[in-house]
Amino acid sequence: MGGNREPRGLIVGNYCHDVLIKDEVVLAETLGGAVSFISAVLDGLDITSDYVSKVGSDFAYSVNLNHTPIVSPSGKTAVFHAYFTSDPSEIRREDRVLKRVQSCNPISPSDLPDEANFNFGMAVGIAGEISPETLEKMFDICDVVLVDIQALIRDFEIDGTVKLMNLNETGFSHLLPRIGFLKASAEEAPYVDIEEARKSCCVVVTSGKDGCTVYCKDIELQISPFTTVQVDPTGAGDSFLGGLVAGLVHGLAVPDAALLGNFFGSLTVGQIGIPKFDSTLMQKVKDEVQRRKMQCDEHDDESRFKKPSDHEQFIASLCTAKLLTTDEVLDPDPSYANHQMLFLKNSVSVYEEPIKAMDP
């Protein structure tokens, strides 16, 4: 995905309003949607992208002018409620229960640009807004497309509770060979035939405290996590995907790019809502990525999946950058601090957004 030309991406998925509720108390109302978290990473690393998102006339937030959504005058903005509990008697696999309480209009193929000049695309729907036809057009106008599996397998119960369905029961399964990278959480992975998918695309499974695993053909790589204090898990997987893409477009080997994904995921769970990345930290990351880009040779299909000899040094450099700016990253402004103290948990590694799922 890396190259000499300036990288340009196409990010497709709707914004939403997120309401975070703990023990029946509303702790925060924030801008949400995968595009919000991904843009925070890509903008911070100076990666130019076009964004195609839809909202209703009730959209409550301002976004970067370059990321302005399509407003559907007769439609509503998607709204999600995330329910958390501190009751130790309510032990369950899910870290939260996620409900869609309002949906938005879908993104149609005609909403996408017609020119085929994007060197990467990201299909990151949150509420079924991306159809197979829209994804097919992304394949036509992007050199490579990365897909978050939640865009393909999310379904909703009558009360709006998010549930998952098997990929082969959706209208997307025949498109799997055209996907470049497929990202799934450990909770979502059982709904995909990983062994089959890895034959035609690179599959990345995020696994919380265990980091992530990269699968491609006969290659399987475990990528280290970054330990962090979790405040809110929302958006961790989205920021992971943004970091992964940033590494790939800058020409990093896949293991290094996945490590960068783990890094940004770990930063995101330390804040409520859209992360505010410290500018000093982002500059250190950009400098380190550029240094590695200058040192590494052009990767062929085989070598790009091998861990570089200095992969451990990359881990150390990112850890150092994070330590130097930890206070600023975890406490971006006083108004966030109060919310974060209410949400604060034990020290854990970054994890995805586990939700209620149907039995596979």
Side-chain angles (χ1 to χ4, degrees):
M1 195 187 301
N4 293 325
R5 65 176 171 134
E6 188 71 21
R8 183 182 176 211
L10 175 67
I11 320 300
V12 180
N14 286 345
Y15 290 106
C16 70
H17 296 164
D18 279 344
V19 182
L20 307 182
I21 303 168
K22 187 172 184 180
D23 300 332
E24 300 184 357
V25 176
V26 174
L27 293 184
E29 298 184 24
T30 70
L31 173 64
V35 292
S36 303
F37 292 89
I38 290 169
S39 65
V41 177
L42 298 188
D43 288 352
L45 296 178
D46 301 327
I47 297 175
T48 302
S49 297
D50 291 4
Y51 292 77
V52 179
S53 304
K54 281 189 174 178
V55 297
S57 57
D58 60 341
F59 187 55
Y61 298 94
S62 60
V63 297
N64 187 307
L65 288 177
N66 295 325
H67 312 334
T68 302
I70 301 168
V71 178
S72 303
S74 60
K76 297 287 188 179
T77 302
V79 178
F80 282 87
H81 286 184
Y83 295 88
F84 302 82
T85 181
S86 58
D87 187 347
S89 67
E90 295 191 25
I91 299 174
R92 57 178 183 263
R93 184 180 68 176
E94 299 85 20
D95 186 67
R96 66 180 188 171
V97 173
L98 187 64
K99 291 186 178 183
R100 183 187 67 179
V101 300
Q102 187 169 280
S103 60
C104 187
N105 292 339
I107 298 172
S108 67
S110 62
D111 294 319
L112 305 185
D114 290 322
E115 67 271 19
N117 63 346
F118 298 98
N119 71 333
F120 72 93
M122 301 177 71
V124 290
I126 53 172
E129 67 268 28
I130 297 177
S131 67
E133 293 75 21
T134 299
L135 184 57
E136 285 190 271
K137 184 168 181 180
M138 291 185 68
F139 294 138
D140 293 337
I141 62 178
C142 303
D143 293 345
V144 61
V145 176
L146 300 93
V147 177
D148 190 328
I149 194 64
Q150 72 176 15
L152 313 185
I153 65 172
R154 272 191 176 181
D155 198 5
F156 304 89
E157 295 182 352
I158 295 176
D159 67 352
T161 300
V162 177
K163 60 183 181 181
L164 305 176
M165 57 194 302
N166 286 310
L167 180 61
N168 60 14
E169 296 175 356
T170 72
F172 295 96
S173 58
H174 69 289
L175 298 175
L176 192 59
R178 300 187 68 183
I179 295 174
F181 287 78
L182 182 68
K183 195 271 303 179
S185 70
E187 292 77 23
E188 294 163 337
Y191 300 87
V192 184
D193 186 339
I194 299 294
E195 292 306 309
E196 185 63 30
R198 68 192 293 181
K199 295 177 183 178
S200 58
C201 71
C202 178
V203 181
V204 184
V205 177
T206 57
S207 302
K209 62 182 178 60
D210 297 317
C212 70
T213 307
V214 177
Y215 302 91
C216 187
K217 298 181 180 177
D218 60 345
I219 295 172
E220 181 174 331
L221 295 171
Q222 184 68 35
I223 308 300
S224 299
F226 290 85
T227 300
T228 190
V229 175
Q230 176 178 289
V231 175
D232 173 17
T234 306
D238 306 321
S239 292
F240 168 87
L241 197 52
L244 172 71
V245 169
L248 293 174
V249 300
H250 280 298
L252 298 187
V254 172
D256 279 356
L259 184 71
L260 196 60
N262 282 349
F263 180 72
F264 279 104
S266 74
L267 295 177
T268 296
V269 300
Q271 304 181 37
I272 287 181
I274 309 303
K276 298 181 180 180
F277 298 124
D278 176 70
S279 59
T280 302
L281 171 68
M282 296 302 280
Q283 187 58 55
K284 289 180 181 297
V285 172
K286 286 188 286 187
D287 291 345
E288 179 62 19
V289 169
Q290 185 62 30
R291 186 189 68 79
R292 296 184 70 78
K293 180 180 178 180
M294 297 293 292
Q295 287 183 347
C296 65
D297 298 324
E298 192 72 24
H299 301 290
D300 56 32
D301 287 341
E302 183 176 348
S303 66
R304 70 182 184 136
F305 287 97
K306 294 181 179 178
K307 286 186 179 180
S309 59
D310 59 350
H311 181 76
E312 298 299 321
Q313 188 274 328
F314 191 29
I315 296 174
S317 295
L318 293 176
C319 285
T320 299
K322 183 177 179 181
L323 286 172
L324 290 174
T325 55
T326 293
D327 290 339
E328 294 175 76
V329 171
L330 293 179
D331 188 13
D333 61 57
S335 66
Y336 265 57
N338 292 332
H339 288 312
Q340 289 173 352
M341 289 305 295
L342 290 172
F343 241 58
L344 198 59
K345 296 183 178 182
N346 293 327
S347 180
V348 296
S349 295
V350 54
Y351 49 109
E352 181 62 90
E353 307 173 32
I355 58 176
K356 182 178 179 181
M358 299 176 66
D359 292 334

